[in-house]
Structure formats: structure tokens, C-alpha cells
Amino acid sequence: MKVIFLNTGKTDSLELNKLIGIYEKRLSRFVPFEIVCTQTPKNAGKLKSSELKKEEGELLLQKMKEADYIVLLDEKGKHFTSNEFAQFLQGQMNKGIRKIMFVSGGAYGFAEEIYQKAHLKLSISKMTTTHQLIRLFFSEQLYRAFTILNNHPYHNN
């Protein structure tokens, strides 16, 4: 199974990019993994939130294929413990899912078209945080899940 982490826009913090890069490199030992970022919509700062979500949605849809298993990182999504998340990933591998795409939206969430494409909504936390910081948290949790599945000592039960 290939894992894609699709993000709306780029992370502009060098520090966050460096930390995310650490988990990206570590993950590649366990699974084909790629981080993909869309461009920021033109005139993003001048758009209403609904217009911005629509523009971001169009950019995300360009990266999605019909066969992709789409998981949205969404505050209203399902909550997993780290072990449950690992078991979810194992279940997708057992089903023969070839590519799973985790999608992180912009500051205002997702356009309706993106919600319609999703197979699952996943919440990282009940707390609100920036969409850029979620990228680091999710990368670490994805790495943790694969260490659990591979009996690596990173995760202490």
C-alpha cells in the first residue's frame, strides 16, 4: 500500500518542515510514502471562506484518483487511539487497498465536493490547532502506527 499525505498549500515554517521531514524519512522504511502539497489559490487573502474552500477543493480534486481511498483529517471525524489507528491501517492493507490518501485541508476546512469523495473522516484531536501544525502531529502518528504494526520499540504500550 502506498500512503499519500495531501496538503492544502505549503507549510511556510522551516522548523515544521524539518520536523515533518524527519517522519517522512522514517516512514519510508515501512511503506511507500509521499507528501504532496497543492498550490495556494490565487488571491487567497481576498476570497471569502466559502470561495477559498471551493478553490482549494478544486486543487485537491486534481490530485485525487477514483481508486484512491480518501481519508480527510477533519475535526468532526472519527477518533482513534494510536493502536486503533494502526489496526485501521492494517485493515486497509488486508483489504488490498493500493493507495490511501490522507488529506489535510485549509484553515476553513473542505469544500462539499471533497467531503463527497471521502471514505472516512479522521479527527486528530478534539482541540483546535493550525492546519500546518496538524501536518506534524499526523506525520508522527502515522509513523507511530507503522512502528506498532512492525513491533518497533518506538511505541511504548
Side-chain angles (χ1 to χ4, degrees):
M1 179 171 75
K2 182 173 185 174
V3 178
I4 304 289
F5 188 18
L6 177 59
N7 295 282
T8 301
K10 297 187 182 332
T11 301
D12 50 7
S13 166
L14 294 176
E15 294 83 3
L16 277 178
N17 278 325
K18 185 176 180 178
L19 292 169
I20 292 167
I22 290 169
Y23 291 107
E24 181 178 15
K25 184 177 179 182
R26 289 179 181 181
L27 270 163
S28 67
R29 290 184 233 153
F30 298 113
V31 65
F33 178 69
E34 181 182 1
I35 296 176
V36 176
C37 297
T38 64
Q39 296 294 319
T40 301
K42 293 179 180 167
N43 300 321
K46 296 179 182 179
L47 298 174
K48 295 179 190 174
S49 62
S50 60
E51 295 170 332
L52 182 57
K53 285 194 306 188
K54 182 174 174 32
E55 294 283 329
E56 290 171 343
E58 289 173 7
L59 293 168
L60 290 171
L61 285 171
Q62 292 174 11
K63 305 290 184 185
M64 297 176 182
K65 296 191 175 32
E66 198 61 39
D68 296 344
Y69 188 91
I70 307 294
V71 178
L72 302 183
L73 303 185
D74 186 87
E75 65 185 2
K76 295 179 181 124
K78 183 173 178 61
H79 291 270
F80 286 128
T81 65
S82 295
N83 284 312
E84 290 167 343
F85 183 49
Q87 292 310 308
F88 163 76
L89 290 169
Q90 184 65 62
Q92 299 314 303
M93 288 186 280
N94 292 347
K95 290 177 187 173
I97 298 295
R98 300 187 82 202
K99 185 165 68 167
I100 188 167
M101 182 177 284
F102 293 94
V103 186
S104 174
Y108 300 106
F110 297 104
E112 187 57 37
E113 296 83 9
I114 303 300
Y115 282 114
Q116 291 173 6
K117 295 276 286 182
H119 295 91
L120 176 71
K121 292 187 292 182
L122 173 66
S123 177
I124 302 300
S125 173
K126 290 183 180 183
M127 294 181 171
T128 303
T129 187
T130 68
H131 63 283
Q132 291 193 17
L133 199 51
I134 283 297
R135 296 172 188 188
L136 173 61
F137 294 162
F138 178 72
S139 297
E140 191 279 335
Q141 283 300 302
L142 189 60
Y143 173 69
R144 181 177 299 275
F146 278 100
T147 63
I148 291 168
L149 293 176
N150 287 277
N151 296 313
H152 187 279
Y154 180 82
H155 178 74
N156 297 322
N157 291 329

